């Protein structure tokens, strides 16, 4: 935001004029966004029920989950879960409440890669509220066990991916970590004799996943990881397939054998350096040195190189989703190391390396998020599990949380570079800009708009991207400085008109679902306080926004954290 402050200064006088069409459009979109969120929000509490979509849809949603997140963040024992799933559909009697809650959360997560529009968003949100209601009952201590932890993990993932109170997930992750430690998951099963192979490996898998979740939300929130590897000794899970751990005498497969746990193991091995990066970025003393940043860069690259070497030795190739997820996550930490030095790099050549890393990595992250799926466009949701595994793009365009916001953040970083390339040009001829960066900028406007079409109610990302691309286009064409504010205001009005039409359609659709769905019982009267949920961009911790004197309409869009 600090690097685009000039745009704010140029258009603020026009926005503050009485009857400003741009400001009125922004307010209309905000009102509609609140209405849509209210339509999706069930009345609290939401008791757990057996209401489900058709079995065909549930089968597909289960495959979506098992072929994507479960391959990276190990949570359930798949054969056992599938057995309980089939029993659920064949049983006409009472159902185990904790399995029912887990099933609904698994289906909710599966919705994020089910189709290109997140068409089941309202159903998924309803499932999340049901799970939250059940977990809020005052019987926590009596429920403590592996299945209870599994449910907590699934709930956090679903809340983040569907944008249900996403701003509080870092706090909830802390509760999850302490619950796991209370149960002893931070101590390796070798310290606990007579534990079966199954329980031991589920113990290690869940601890690895909990560490990953706590680290991820530390990065998103800008809060301390609150994790110390010196305070736990639970080892990395063994390289087992799920069928293996049922047998107590089974031994782990070799490292070059791809199993259902291999990707989780590969990610865990990079955990120490990524934890160090989170601590470096979120140091409350703010005294992290550039030399330390370079050391962390070197450590992360070495760790990632070793991960790639191991993966290349597998006898089978991991799915496209698994590879995309690993690449996306590691690059996220790489770019985060250098972002604090990105702004200063335009003033001091000392940080030139950081400038290069940020721009190259931002372009790669953005392009990986928009990589086309290998699926046939005619298959829709009825596609094979193997094909659907490659659809990482759906997650970034339909989901909420980091997987949606990171590509948008990266597009703004690219825009900063293009703008500065134009301003730094000293020749008399046309400005020569990197074609790959221009491609990112051209795609970014459509990417941000598609997120709104897919159900995102926050328009400020698309609005500001429209302003940025308009300014860069004007600078490339040599438009007179005094004409640029008018172009920016026009771009804002046009962007808001597009968003307003989309939000009106979403509100109408939500009203129809409210009237016709047996699953969704919502209340428009209980309008949520949007506040920090209008989170199109997270702030860079190295920029003190309090000293920038930005207008309130812009500050309202900047909550917390940095990817």
């Amino acid at each position: 935001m600090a690097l685009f402050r000039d745009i704010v200064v140029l258009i603020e006088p026009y926005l503050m004029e009485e009857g400003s069409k741009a400001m009125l459009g922004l307010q209309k979109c905000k009102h509609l966004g609140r209405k849509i969120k209210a339509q999706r929000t069930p009345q609290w509490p939401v008791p757990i029920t057996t209401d489900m979509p058709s079995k065909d849809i549930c089968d597909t949603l289960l495959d979506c989950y098992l072929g994507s997140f479960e391959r990276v963040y190990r949570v359930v024992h798949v054969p056992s879960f599938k057995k309980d799933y089939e029993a659920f559909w064949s049983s006409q009697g009472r159902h185990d409440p904790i399995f029912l809650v887990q099933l609904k959360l698994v289906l909710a997560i599966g919705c994020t890669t089910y189709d290109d529009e997140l068409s089941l968003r309202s159903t998924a949100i309803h499932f999340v509220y049901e799970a939250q209601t059940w977990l809020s009952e005052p019987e926590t201590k009596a429920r403590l066990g592996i299945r209870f932890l599994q449910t907590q993990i699934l709930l956090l993932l679903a809340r983040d991916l569907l944008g249900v109170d996403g701003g509080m997930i870092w706090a909830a992750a802390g509760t999850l970590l302490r619950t796991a430690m209370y149960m002893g998951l931070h101590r390796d099963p070798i310290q606990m004799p007579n534990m079966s192979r199954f329980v031991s490996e589920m113990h290690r898998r869940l601890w690895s996943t909990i560490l990953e979740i706590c680290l991820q939300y530390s990065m998103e929130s800008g809060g301390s990881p609150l994790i110390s590897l010196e305070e736990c000794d639970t080892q990395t899970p063994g390289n087992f397939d799920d069928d293996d751990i049922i047998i107590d005498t089974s031994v782990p497969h070799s490292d070059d054998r791809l199993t259902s746990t291999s990707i989780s193991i590969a990610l865990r091995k990079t955990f120490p350096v990524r934890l160090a990066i989170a601590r470096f970025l979120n140091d409350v003393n703010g005294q992290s040195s550039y030399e330390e940043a370079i050391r962390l860069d070197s450590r992360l690259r070495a760790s990632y190189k070793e991960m790639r070497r191991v993966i290349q030795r597998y006898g089978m190739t991991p799915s496209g989703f698994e590879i995309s997820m690993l690449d996306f996550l590691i690059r996220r930490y790489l770019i985060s190391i250098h972002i604090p030095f990105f702004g200063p790099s335009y003033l001091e050549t000392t940080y030139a390396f950081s400038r290069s890393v940020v721009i190259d990595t931002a372009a790669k992250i953005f392009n990986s998020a928009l990589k086309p799926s290998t699926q046939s466009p005619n298959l829709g949701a009825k596609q094979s599990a193997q094909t659907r595994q490659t659809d990482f793009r759906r997650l970034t365009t339909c989901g909420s949380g980091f997987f949606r916001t990171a590509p948008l953040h990266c597009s703004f970083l690219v825009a900063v570079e293009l703008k500065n390339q134009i301003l730094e040009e000293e020749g008399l001829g046309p400005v020569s800009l990197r074609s790959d960066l221009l491609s990112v900028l051209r795609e970014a406007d459509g990417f941000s708009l598609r997120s709104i079409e897919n159900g995102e109610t926050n328009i400020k990302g698309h609005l500001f991207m429209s302003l940025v691309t308009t300014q860069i286009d004007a600078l490339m064409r040599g438009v007179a400085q005094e004409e640029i504010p008018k172009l920016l205001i026009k771009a804002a009005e046009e962007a808001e008109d597009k968003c307003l039409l989309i939000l009106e359609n979403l509100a109408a659709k939500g009203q129809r679902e409210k009237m016709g769905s047996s699953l969704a019982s919502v209340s428009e009267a209980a309008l949520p306080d949007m506040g920090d949920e209008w989170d199109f961009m997270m702030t860079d911790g190295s920029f003190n926004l309090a000293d920038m004197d930005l207008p309130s309409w812009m500050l309202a869009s900047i909550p917390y954290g940095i990817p």
Side-chain angles (χ1 to χ4, degrees), residues 57-177:
I57 292 178
C58 289
D59 288 348
T60 304
L61 293 176
L62 178 59
D63 285 342
C64 285
Y65 169 77
L66 295 179
S68 57
F69 278 89
E70 183 62 35
R71 300 288 296 183
V72 181
Y73 304 132
R74 293 310 316 268
V75 181
V76 303
H77 181 250
V78 176
S80 300
F81 194 88
K82 284 186 173 181
K83 181 180 178 180
D84 291 340
Y85 176 74
E86 294 302 328
F88 168 82
W89 287 103
S90 61
S91 173
Q92 300 299 319
R94 291 175 57 84
H95 301 286
D96 180 7
I98 195 166
F99 174 75
L100 186 56
V101 172
Q102 285 186 6
L103 174 58
K104 290 201 168 188
L105 290 171
V106 162
L107 299 180
I109 296 170
C111 287
T112 60
T113 54
Y114 172 72
D115 58 18
D116 289 332
E117 297 83 29
L118 219 176
S119 59
L120 297 174
R121 182 190 291 269
S122 295
T123 298
I125 290 175
H126 199 278
F127 286 169
V128 171
Y129 273 84
E130 287 186 27
Q132 186 70 68
T133 300
W134 186 82
L135 283 168
S136 299
E137 294 176 2
E139 300 178 8
T140 300
K141 188 172 181 179
R143 294 173 177 169
L144 288 182
I146 285 179
R147 298 177 76 196
F148 181 74
L149 281 179
Q150 290 171 323
T151 307
Q152 285 188 298
I153 293 169
L154 292 170
L155 178 59
L156 287 184
L157 291 174
R159 283 174 55 186
D160 184 44
L161 293 169
L162 293 162
V164 178
D165 196 24
M168 294 300 295
I169 293 182
W170 176 62
T175 300
L176 171 65
L177 177 68

Side-chain angles (χ1 to χ4, degrees), residues 505-521:
N505 291 334
L506 289 175
K509 178 183 177 183
Q511 185 65 26
R512 291 193 298 270
E513 290 178 349
K514 174 186 173 182
M515 296 175 63
S517 172
S518 61
L519 282 176
S521 173

Side-chain angles (χ1 to χ4, degrees), residues 408-419:
L408 187 59
H409 294 165
C410 288
S411 66
F412 280 112
L413 293 168
V414 167
V416 171
E417 174 66 11
L418 288 171
K419 177 180 172 181

Side-chain angles (χ1 to χ4, degrees), residues 275-559:
L275 177 60
I277 291 168
R279 286 176 171 166
F280 169 81
L281 294 169
N282 298 332
D283 179 12
V284 294
N285 295 318
Q287 297 178 348
S288 301
S289 68
Y290 190 54
E291 290 74 16
E292 178 62 16
I294 299 302
R295 282 194 292 269
L296 288 171
D297 174 289
S298 179
R299 284 182 59 192
L300 182 63
R301 290 176 190 271
S303 182
Y304 194 34
K305 183 177 180 180
E306 175 62 19
M307 176 196 286
R308 292 198 308 269
R309 187 186 64 80
V310 170
I311 290 175
Q312 288 166 358
R313 285 168 40 199
Y314 290 156
M316 298 174 61
T317 304
S319 72
F321 186 96
E322 292 168 278
I323 295 299
S324 295
M325 176 78 92
L326 284 179
D327 190 66
F328 197 85
L329 288 172
I330 298 298
R331 292 191 191 281
R332 168 204 187 177
Y333 287 87
L334 178 61
I335 197 172
S336 296
I337 296 171
H338 295 278
I339 284 179
F341 309 99
F342 180 57
S345 72
Y346 291 103
L347 303 175
E348 300 181 44
T349 57
T350 304
Y351 306 120
F353 177 65
S354 288
R355 177 178 178 177
S356 175
V357 172
V358 167
I359 296 308
D360 290 343
T361 308
K364 290 175 181 176
I365 290 176
F366 184 85
N367 289 328
S368 70
L370 271 68
K371 186 185 300 180
S373 171
T374 59
Q375 71 200 35
S376 166
N378 297 322
L379 289 177
K382 302 288 187 177
Q383 41 183 309
S384 70
Q386 181 63 33
T387 299
R388 191 163 44 253
Q389 288 176 3
T390 67
D391 206 353
F392 187 75
R393 176 183 55 82
R394 283 182 174 175
L395 180 63
T396 60
T397 55
C398 297
S400 297
F402 166 74
F403 293 104
R404 179 185 65 82
T405 57
L408 187 59
H409 294 165
C410 288
S411 66
F412 280 112
L413 293 168
V414 167
V416 171
E417 174 66 11
L418 288 171
K419 177 180 172 181
N420 277 275
Q421 284 185 19
I422 296 170
L423 296 177
E424 291 171 354
E425 179 63 37
E426 297 178 351
L428 297 176
V431 179
S432 178
L433 301 176
R434 284 176 51 177
S435 59
D436 60 326
L437 302 186
L438 286 172
S439 176
V440 168
L441 197 63
R442 285 193 295 266
E443 294 282 352
D445 190 70
F447 172 80
S448 59
L449 192 63
R450 281 195 300 277
S451 294
I452 300 170
E453 292 171 340
N454 292 338
E456 173 58 49
T457 59
N458 173 10
I459 74 148
K460 289 184 179 176
H462 178 65
L463 170 60
F464 204 71
M465 179 53 65
S466 298
L467 295 174
V468 169
T469 54
T470 298
Q471 183 192 43
I472 291 176
D473 178 69
L475 292 173
M476 290 177 63
R477 293 188 291 112
V479 174
Q481 187 66 27
E482 60 272 15
E483 297 297 321
I484 292 181
K486 297 177 183 178
L487 293 176
L488 293 174
I489 290 296
K490 182 181 178 182
E493 293 171 353
E494 291 176 349
E496 289 165 357
D497 286 343
K498 291 179 183 177
C499 294
L500 191 60
L501 180 60
I502 295 170
L503 293 175
E504 287 173 344
N505 291 334
L506 289 175
K509 178 183 177 183
Q511 185 65 26
R512 291 193 298 270
E513 290 178 349
K514 174 186 173 182
M515 296 175 63
S517 172
S518 61
L519 282 176
S521 173
V522 299
S523 171
E524 284 192 43
L527 289 177
D529 179 11
M530 301 303 289
D532 288 345
E533 293 186 9
W534 287 78
D535 58 338
F536 86 87
M537 182 179 290
M538 299 178 182
T539 60
D540 186 334
S542 68
F543 298 137
N544 188 347
L545 294 174
D547 294 338
M548 287 176 56
D549 194 29
L550 292 178
S552 60
W553 71 269
M554 183 58 69
L555 286 175
S557 68
I558 311 173

Side-chain angles (χ1 to χ4, degrees), residues 2-15:
L3 299 176
F4 288 111
R5 190 180 186 279
D6 60 321
I7 291 181
V8 179
V9 173
L10 286 172
I11 67 173
E12 184 182 7
Y14 297 87
L15 291 175

